Amino acid sequence: MQTLTPKALAEEWAKNKTRPVYYFCGEEGAMKEAALKRLEALFKPESFNFSVRDAETADLAQALDEAQTAPMLADLRFVALKRVEKLKKEPLRNLLAYLADPCPSACLLLLADWPREKQDPIPGALGPDCAVVNFDPMSGPQAIEHLNSVLLAKGVKTDGEALELLVELLGTDLVTLDGEAEKIVLFMHGQNRFFGPDDA
């Protein structure tokens, strides 16, 4: 089992590489959802080869059967299971059994909404080809880098002081930063200049 950062995960997928199981853990739920959307955008799986289920309400046996079913007209089937921390004992036992020998023609994505802790049984059950992806809250420098990349992608150039000020004012929550970035893009529309500290 390997541990990846969200950035390393994105780089892996950009190279068209996948693993039999990814375990998304940590507190940044919005970043996990964004990663799931990124996977869908990159690999463009047909609906019959891509499913997203809620562990609390889904039939886990059906989800695991789906993961073990050969993909249709494709090399890979994607099955995402959200809120795996809600699984009861028996379904969790069945999931752990699957993790011991995952299907090579499937990519199972497990999303948990709590910070990874010692009593969490999933990381220890993952094989060497699988990965844990930590979606912990961003640090200040990570938030600055994220905000800068989002703004650059929309054609807005900023200076370091403005970015530091924004993160100091807004914090490091991804949803908040992305929402403010949209406002900045609208504010800077048609202006051929840097977004500076006064603008922030």
Side-chain angles (χ1 to χ4, degrees), residues 164-177:
E164 286 174 19
L165 183 58
L166 284 167
V167 169
E168 187 180 318
L169 292 168
L170 302 170
T172 62
D173 177 68
L174 181 77
V175 174
T176 303
L177 292 175

Side-chain angles (χ1 to χ4, degrees), residues 37-166:
K37 286 180 182 167
R38 191 178 304 116
L39 176 137
E40 201 173 354
L42 282 169
F43 294 97
K44 298 180 175 58
E46 298 288 347
S47 57
F48 42 79
N49 287 321
F50 181 74
S51 68
V52 180
R53 300 170 190 264
D54 186 305
E56 189 171 30
T57 57
D59 180 342
L60 184 74
Q62 188 178 9
L64 294 179
D65 281 346
E66 191 176 348
Q68 292 170 319
T69 303
M72 190 183 299
L73 305 172
D75 296 329
L76 208 58
R77 178 182 295 277
F78 296 92
V79 178
L81 195 60
K82 297 181 178 182
R83 302 198 311 155
V84 294
E85 76 278 5
K86 300 289 185 184
L87 287 173
K88 305 281 189 253
K89 277 186 181 178
E90 190 58 34
L92 179 59
R93 195 174 296 124
N94 293 337
L95 175 62
L96 295 176
Y98 175 86
L99 297 181
D101 186 25
C103 180
S105 62
C107 178
L108 178 64
L109 299 108
L110 304 173
L111 288 73
D113 288 342
W114 71 81
R116 189 161 53 94
E117 296 168 358
K118 288 181 183 176
Q119 68 264 29
D120 182 356
I122 294 174
L126 295 173
D129 294 336
C130 304
V132 169
V133 187
N134 285 323
F135 288 91
D136 293 327
M138 290 186 288
S139 66
Q142 288 172 326
I144 288 169
E145 183 184 340
H146 171 77
L147 193 54
N148 188 43
S149 64
V150 169
L151 291 172
L152 280 175
K154 303 278 186 170
V156 175
K157 294 179 181 175
T158 60
D159 66 20
E161 192 180 343
L163 291 169
E164 286 174 19
L165 183 58
L166 284 167

Side-chain angles (χ1 to χ4, degrees), residues 2-13:
Q2 288 190 315
T3 301
L4 302 175
T5 63
K7 184 176 180 183
L9 173 71
E11 289 168 357
E12 187 167 286
W13 285 351

